Amino acid sequence: MRNSSRFFLFLIPCLLFQLCASDPIFHESFDESFKGRWIVSEKEDYNGVWKHSKSEGHEDYGLLVSEKARKYAIVKDLDEPVDLKDKTIVLQFETRFQNGMECGGAYLKYLRPQEAGWKPNEFDNESPYTIMFGPDKCGSTNKVHFILKHKNPKTGEFVEHHLKFPPSVPSDKLTHVYTAILKPDNELRILVDGEEKKKTNFLSADDFEPPLIPPKTISDPDDKKPEDWDERAKIPDLEAVKPDDWDEDAPIEIEDEEAEKPEGWLDVEPEEIDDPEAKKPEDWDDDEDGEWEAPKIDNPKCESAPGCGEWKRPMKRNPAYKGKWHAPLIDNPNYKGIWKPRQIPNPEYFELDKPDFEPIAALGIEIWTMQDGVLFDNILIAGDEKTAESVRVTAWKPKFELEKETQQEEEVAASGGLSGVHKKVFDVLYRIADIPFLAAYKFKIIDVIEKGEGQPNLTIGILGSVVVVLVTVIFRVIFGGKKRAPVPVPPKEKKSSEAEGDNQGTSGDKEDENEKEDAAAPRPRRSRRET
C-alpha cells in the first residue's frame, strides 16, 4: 500500500513533465543487457568485468563495476554525432556507490568522432574526448569533474580546461544523479540530485584553469634578470660600529642578589627520605639484584616549611643582556624592486565569442577504481532541461526516496530499533511506570512498554495504553472501586497456547491472586534497553 501511494504521488508530476519534455537525443536505461550494444575495451590493462545487474533493493538494472582494484573501459557509439554549438545540451547520468566510495572515479567521457584517431575496441585513457564529467574521489580529491578539451585555433592543439572549485561528491551509498547543462550563451550549470551546485561561464578566466581564452600578453621567456639587479629593499649599515659597552657574552639570566632565604627554611632536611615502612623483600638477593635501597617518599617535615635542602638564590633576567650585535638596516640606495620579465604579445592569443566544441560521437566509461559495486544508470543526452528533469523525476527520484527510507530504517535498527523520538517517548513511559501509586500495576505496564520497544511502529498505541491505565487508576483513587483497571495490550498475533487460554477463560479470583504474587515478589525488568 505504501509503495502504491508513493507511485501515485510521483505519477502526477511525471505526466506534467512529460507533456513539456521532448524526446531525448540518447537515453540508456540498461533495462536490457549492454552486451551487443556497448563495446568492452580489449586493451590488456582494462581487465575489470562489467555486469548487467540490479541495483540493491530495486528491480531496476544498471551497469555494474563488479571487481575491486581494476581498470574498466566500455564505450557506446551514438547513432549520430551530437553538435554542442549554439544550442542547449544536457548531459546527465546516475551513479550509486553501493559499497561506499573510498578511492575511484565514476565519470563519463563524451568522445570525439573516431576520425580523431581511436577505435572502440581499443578505447583507453588516451582516446580523445570533448567533455569528461562526473564524480571522482580518492585521498584529497573529492570533486565532480567537468573537463573540456578545447582546440586552440592558433596552435591546433587540444588543451584540457578544468572547472575551478567543482562540487564535492556525496559520501553515502544512495543513487545520485549528476547533470551538466550547457547553454548557448556560454553558461554552464552543474546539478547534483537536481540541485544547482555550480554556475559558471565557459569564457571566464575565473571559472576554468587554464582559461579558454589565453592572456593577451605573456612573460618574455628570453628575458633574463641582469646580474647587477638588486632586489634588497633594506641592507645592513656598513658604517655602523658595535658600541664599546655591548657585551655579547652576557648571560640571559643572573642570580637575584636581593633575594633572601625565607625564615624557617630547613637546610639540613632533604626533600625526600627513605620510606620507613618499606622492608627488603625476603627473596631479594644482593648478589643478583644488587644492594637493596628503600623507595623514597616526600619528607613530611618539609610540608609545613617554606622549603628543604640547600637554599639557592632564584634567577632573574639579566638587564645587561643584549645578545649578538648586528648592524642596523638602512634603505638600499641600489634597490630596483622585484624583477619581472617584460611582457610581450602572446603568440597563442585568440579571441572567442563561444567555445568551439567538438561534436560528441560516443559515450565511454574509462575508470580505475579500488571499489566494487559502482552502478551506472540512466545515461542521458537531451536537448532541453525539461527532458532531463522528467527523467530525474520518473527514474531517479523514486529510487532515491526508497533508498533513503531503507537507510533510515537500517540506522534505526542499528541503534536498537528506536529512533530518537521513540527513545524519548519510551523514557517518559518508564518514568510513568515508576510512579509510586502505580506500584501494583508497574510490571504489567513495563510488559506493555517492552513489547512496544520491540515494535517501534506501535509507539502511539503503547503510549495510549499507558495513558488509559494512568487515567483509570487516578479515577479509581478519586472515586474508589474494588476492581483494578485492565492493562490494554498492543496489537499482536496470539500464539496457539494463548488462544487456547483465552477460550478456557480466567476467574477474577485467580487474577487477583496473581497480582498479589506479583506485588509480593517483584521481578526484574526483562529487556530494558541501554540508555
Side-chain angles (χ1 to χ4, degrees):
M1 183 68 182
R2 184 177 62 183
N3 291 336
S4 300
S5 300
R6 184 187 296 114
F7 175 77
F8 180 75
L9 290 174
F10 281 110
L11 184 61
I12 295 176
C14 291
L15 293 173
L16 293 176
F17 280 123
Q18 289 175 347
L19 290 174
C20 302
S22 61
D23 291 335
I25 298 171
F26 172 82
H27 182 208
E28 175 59 86
S29 64
F30 293 107
D31 290 339
E32 298 178 358
S33 174
F34 63 90
K35 294 181 180 179
R37 299 185 299 111
W38 288 68
I39 300 173
V40 178
S41 176
E42 298 174 3
K43 281 294 190 74
E44 182 179 357
D45 291 345
Y46 295 88
N47 55 5
V49 177
W50 295 98
K51 289 187 177 180
H52 183 237
S53 176
K54 289 182 181 180
S55 181
E56 291 183 4
H58 305 294
E59 293 299 314
D60 189 49
Y61 282 86
L63 182 63
L64 180 69
V65 171
S66 65
E67 298 175 299
K68 298 180 180 179
R70 292 281 191 272
K71 285 185 176 181
Y72 292 81
I74 191 170
V75 68
K76 166 67 175 169
D77 275 324
L78 301 180
D79 293 336
E80 294 182 1
V82 178
D83 185 6
L84 303 180
K85 298 177 181 179
D86 300 322
K87 62 183 68 174
T88 295
I89 293 293
V90 183
L91 311 176
Q92 181 171 285
F93 67 98
E94 298 172 13
T95 62
R96 184 184 184 190
F97 304 141
Q98 297 182 133
N99 299 327
M101 175 56 81
E102 295 178 4
C103 185
Y107 40 79
L108 265 62
K109 289 185 175 181
Y110 299 83
L111 299 154
R112 290 159 52 196
Q114 293 182 35
E115 290 77 11
W118 68 281
K119 297 179 181 179
N121 61 352
E122 296 179 2
F123 174 48
D124 62 9
N125 185 52
E126 299 300 321
S127 300
Y129 64 85
T130 295
I131 290 172
M132 187 175 108
F133 171 55
D136 188 15
K137 184 178 179 183
C138 190
S140 60
T141 298
N142 184 347
K143 58 187 174 183
V144 179
H145 282 291
F146 188 93
I147 304 173
L148 170 65
K149 272 198 172 181
H150 190 262
K151 184 178 181 180
N152 185 314
K154 287 289 187 73
T155 65
E157 295 180 356
F158 283 87
V159 179
E160 286 188 359
H161 301 275
H162 294 246
L163 178 65
K164 289 183 179 179
F165 313 114
S168 58
V169 181
S171 58
D172 53 43
K173 299 180 181 179
L174 309 180
T175 300
H176 294 282
V177 58
Y178 299 90
T179 310
I181 304 171
L182 290 67
K183 305 286 287 184
D185 61 355
N186 301 330
E187 180 183 276
L188 168 67
R189 294 166 54 214
I190 304 295
L191 282 59
V192 178
D193 296 345
E195 180 181 348
E196 184 177 296
K197 298 293 185 178
K198 186 76 174 180
K199 184 177 181 180
T200 66
N201 188 295
F202 278 110
L203 303 186
S204 171
D206 296 328
D207 292 337
F208 281 87
E209 179 61 38
L212 268 71
I213 301 177
K216 288 185 176 182
T217 62
I218 61 171
S219 299
D220 185 354
D222 298 323
D223 191 16
K224 307 297 181 183
K225 183 173 69 173
E227 294 182 1
D228 62 347
W229 190 280
D230 198 337
E231 294 182 325
R232 298 173 300 166
K234 298 281 187 179
I235 59 172
D237 183 358
L238 299 179
E239 297 180 359
V241 179
K242 183 176 70 173
D244 293 337
D245 61 348
W246 191 287
D247 185 0
E248 291 185 327
D249 299 324
I252 297 177
E253 291 184 329
I254 58 174
E255 286 188 354
D256 185 359
E257 298 293 340
E258 297 178 358
E260 296 181 357
K261 183 170 65 175
E263 292 186 8
W265 188 279
L266 304 178
D267 296 88
V268 296
E269 290 290 342
E271 293 183 359
E272 291 183 333
I273 60 172
D274 293 342
D275 184 354
E277 297 182 1
K279 295 182 179 180
K280 180 179 177 180
E282 294 181 359
D283 58 350
W284 187 277
D285 189 329
D286 291 337
D287 293 333
E288 293 184 5
D289 303 324
E291 183 180 355
W292 181 80
E293 294 181 358
K296 300 290 186 181
I297 62 170
D298 292 337
N299 188 345
K301 295 181 179 179
C302 298
E303 293 181 1
S304 58
C308 289
E310 181 184 359
W311 180 80
K312 295 181 180 179
R313 286 189 173 86
M315 304 297 287
K316 70 174 185 178
R317 183 171 180 82
N318 183 4
Y321 172 76
K322 295 183 179 181
K324 289 290 182 181
W325 181 83
H326 297 282
L329 297 177
I330 60 173
D331 291 337
N332 182 4
N334 298 320
Y335 175 67
K336 295 183 178 181
I338 303 299
W339 183 84
K340 294 180 180 179
R342 64 173 173 268
Q343 297 293 295
I344 61 172
N346 184 359
E348 298 181 4
Y349 173 75
F350 58 88
E351 294 184 354
L352 193 67
D353 293 329
K354 295 180 180 295
D356 188 15
F357 293 111
E358 292 290 315
I360 297 173
L363 298 173
I365 305 174
E366 184 274 318
I367 57 175
W368 176 87
T369 178
M370 294 299 294
Q371 308 299 127
D372 59 353
V374 182
L375 194 78
F376 293 85
D377 199 6
N378 287 308
I379 300 175
L380 174 76
I381 300 177
D384 65 273
E385 297 180 46
K386 288 294 183 182
T387 301
E389 189 172 4
S390 174
V391 173
R392 288 198 303 271
V393 170
T394 57
W396 167 75
K397 189 71 172 178
K399 287 190 293 187
F400 178 77
E401 293 296 341
L402 179 60
E403 291 165 7
K404 189 165 62 173
E405 183 177 327
T406 302
Q407 178 179 268
Q408 291 172 347
E409 291 174 354
E410 289 175 351
E411 291 173 353
V412 168
S415 65
L418 301 173
S419 67
V421 174
H422 284 84
K423 287 180 180 179
K424 292 179 181 179
V425 170
F426 281 104
D427 283 341
V428 172
L429 294 178
Y430 277 116
R431 291 192 184 98
I432 292 174
D434 288 332
I435 296 175
F437 73 82
L438 294 176
Y441 300 86
K442 178 174 180 177
F443 294 107
K444 284 197 173 185
I445 294 175
I446 288 175
D447 281 340
V448 175
I449 296 173
E450 288 178 344
K451 290 174 183 176
E453 282 185 307
Q455 305 175 64
N457 292 333
L458 300 179
T459 301
I460 299 301
I462 300 298
L463 180 60
S465 299
V466 176
V467 169
V468 168
V469 173
L470 183 62
V471 172
T472 303
V473 172
I474 293 174
F475 182 85
R476 289 184 178 276
V477 168
I478 296 175
F479 297 101
K482 294 182 180 179
K483 291 185 179 180
R484 291 177 178 167
V487 179
V489 178
K492 181 179 179 182
E493 293 184 7
K494 294 183 178 180
K495 298 181 180 178
S496 58
S497 60
E498 292 176 341
E500 292 173 4
D502 288 345
N503 293 334
Q504 292 173 1
T506 56
S507 66
D509 292 340
K510 185 175 181 180
E511 184 177 71
D512 288 343
E513 183 179 345
N514 290 336
E515 289 175 356
K516 289 178 182 178
E517 290 176 357
D518 287 344
R523 52 188 172 84
R525 197 174 292 168
R526 288 198 304 269
S527 59
R528 179 70 159 106
R529 57 186 168 79
E530 296 293 329
T531 57

